[in-house]
Amino acid sequence: MNIMRFPRQHLTKLRKPKLPPKFKEKWVDPGKEKLFAFGKLFVFIVLLPSLASILYFGFWASDVYISESKFLVRSPQQQQPQAGLGGILSSIGVSNSGPDGYIVANYIKSIDAMMAVDRKVDLKQVFTSGKVDIFSRFASFYHNESYERLHKYFDNRVEYNYDPASSVATLKVKAFSGESARDINLALLENSEALVNKISDDTRKDVIDFANYQVENSQKKLEEADAALNKYRNGNNADDKNFVTHYQQLNIMRDTAEKELAASIDALQKARIDAQRKRLYIERIVQPTLPDYPLEPKRMLTIVSTLLGTLLIWGIVRMLIASAREHSE
């Protein structure tokens, strides 16, 4: 059987056929096409976000100053010795206020607290200043400067942590200048002190008013018993056989009223002592600080985190695309 042999140059020509010029212009190397596609992904997923992060956090983002204060929410009543700071405070007659300490937390996060601060510090002027970058400024992308929106913005600028074990509360306020952060922190602290004092005074007044009412009621009963006894004594004959029996009954009623009055007076004294013992106070440990260096934003950390995060996303997307193409082929 004769096998037709082709010269080597003919085989080469068969492997690489010449294409018409019009096909050469349209043909693209698949490898280069994939590389171009991944290059576009890298630009959109990694390069552009990282560049935006560098520009914003490196040159544009406003400095944020943090003012911090620490205080105790306490009452002067004695409690069992405890470990740590709580034990030290208890040993000198300062007890934990328990759930009452969360009153301050609820107040500081309320719109009432914000409105009270706004009367001392013009919050809209502080947070809408032209010196603040557009992404951090209040109401920068809309013209709704309502107090409801301001409260949401303000809430993100205030951090309150309360430790019920030691009754120590930490208040942090973020603003775009050290003076503004300190002034807002001080206003919140002063308003919280006023609130706690008012609650304590109102509670004390309610308890003592009720005890006074009991004393007045008992005093009235005693006066009525005395009047009835004197009237019966003066209006009846002591020799009457029924006189002694009825007189003894009236005398017993008077003695009962007298004992009730004594008990009411004792209860009033105890109520006053107990109200004072349970009275809440705010004791400042650290005054609101005046920061001279911005702690936020953490520029370098944010930029590096953005770069690493986008690289991770780009790697995952690239793997998914490669896997999808492999299955399709």
Side-chain angles (χ1 to χ4, degrees):
M1 183 177 181
N2 293 328
I3 300 176
M4 186 178 294
R5 297 182 180 274
F6 293 93
R8 188 175 183 85
Q9 60 270 23
H10 291 274
L11 291 174
T12 304
K13 291 180 180 180
L14 287 174
R15 292 193 195 101
K16 296 182 179 180
K18 287 188 175 181
L19 296 175
K22 60 179 182 179
F23 291 105
K24 282 186 176 181
E25 294 175 359
K26 296 181 180 179
W27 185 81
V28 179
D29 187 349
K32 291 183 179 179
E33 185 179 13
K34 291 180 181 179
L35 182 62
F36 179 71
F38 285 127
K40 287 194 297 184
L41 284 175
F42 183 84
V43 169
F44 285 105
I45 295 178
V46 179
L47 189 58
L48 291 180
S50 299
L51 181 60
S53 178
I54 292 171
L55 292 175
Y56 178 69
F57 291 103
F59 304 99
W60 195 6
S62 299
D63 291 332
V64 176
Y65 296 82
I66 302 177
S67 174
E68 180 177 297
S69 62
K70 290 181 181 290
F71 54 91
L72 289 168
V73 182
R74 65 174 178 84
S75 61
Q77 63 183 356
Q78 292 282 355
Q79 286 192 349
Q80 295 298 324
Q82 303 172 12
L85 179 60
I88 297 174
L89 296 174
S90 295
S91 67
I92 61 174
V94 178
S95 70
N96 299 338
S97 60
D100 294 328
Y102 293 103
I103 294 174
V104 178
N106 293 330
Y107 171 72
I108 284 178
K109 290 292 186 177
S110 69
I111 193 171
D112 290 341
M114 186 208 70
M115 296 290 288
V117 171
D118 188 58
R119 287 190 286 270
K120 297 180 178 181
V121 182
D122 192 343
L123 293 178
K124 289 185 179 181
Q125 182 179 0
V126 170
F127 294 130
T128 60
S129 171
K131 297 179 180 179
V132 182
D133 71 83
I134 193 170
F135 294 104
S136 302
R137 194 184 311 156
F138 170 64
S140 56
F141 295 105
Y142 48 86
H143 299 288
N144 185 353
E145 296 186 4
S146 65
Y147 280 103
E148 287 75 15
R149 285 189 175 274
L150 181 60
H151 177 239
K152 292 180 181 179
Y153 181 91
F154 181 78
D155 188 60
N156 292 327
R157 301 287 167 182
V158 176
E159 179 182 337
Y160 178 87
N161 293 310
Y162 175 69
D163 181 9
S166 62
S167 296
V168 176
T170 302
L171 176 62
K172 294 182 180 180
V173 176
K174 300 178 182 180
F176 302 106
S177 70
E179 292 79 7
S180 297
R182 189 270 316 273
D183 292 345
I184 295 172
N185 195 314
L186 181 61
L188 282 171
L189 186 55
E190 290 175 346
N191 294 339
S192 298
E193 289 172 340
L195 173 70
V196 170
N197 291 336
K198 183 179 184 302
I199 292 174
S200 296
D201 291 341
D202 290 346
T203 303
R204 180 176 179 274
K205 183 177 182 300
D206 290 341
V207 172
I208 293 178
D209 285 351
F210 179 75
N212 278 324
Y213 169 77
Q214 294 291 94
V215 171
E216 292 173 0
N217 193 40
S218 299
Q219 181 70 39
K220 184 178 180 181
K221 288 182 179 179
L222 179 60
E223 291 173 356
E224 291 175 351
D226 280 334
L229 186 63
N230 292 331
K231 181 179 179 180
Y232 184 77
R233 184 191 297 121
N234 296 330
N236 292 276
N237 187 0
D239 296 331
D240 190 351
K241 60 179 181 179
N242 292 327
F243 176 84
V244 176
T245 302
H246 192 61
Y247 180 82
Q248 288 178 345
Q249 291 178 348
L250 292 175
N251 200 37
I252 290 173
M253 292 176 61
R254 184 199 176 279
D255 290 343
T256 301
E258 188 175 26
K259 291 178 180 178
E260 184 177 334
L261 176 61
S264 298
I265 294 173
D266 184 60
L268 174 61
Q269 293 175 346
K270 289 181 179 179
R272 287 172 175 168
I273 296 173
D274 192 56
Q276 183 64 29
R277 185 170 59 89
K278 293 182 177 180
R279 181 183 178 87
L280 291 178
Y281 298 88
I282 286 184
E283 185 74 22
R284 300 185 189 185
I285 301 175
V286 178
Q287 296 289 344
T289 58
L290 176 60
D292 57 359
Y293 183 81
L295 296 180
E296 292 183 4
K298 302 185 183 300
R299 302 179 188 275
M300 186 57 66
L301 178 62
T302 306
I303 291 171
V304 173
S305 299
T306 302
L307 177 60
L308 295 178
T310 53
L311 282 173
L312 178 62
I313 295 172
W314 176 73
I316 294 173
V317 171
R318 182 174 178 179
M319 289 174 58
L320 292 174
I321 292 175
S323 177
R325 286 181 175 175
E326 182 179 348
H327 284 293
S328 65
E329 291 176 357

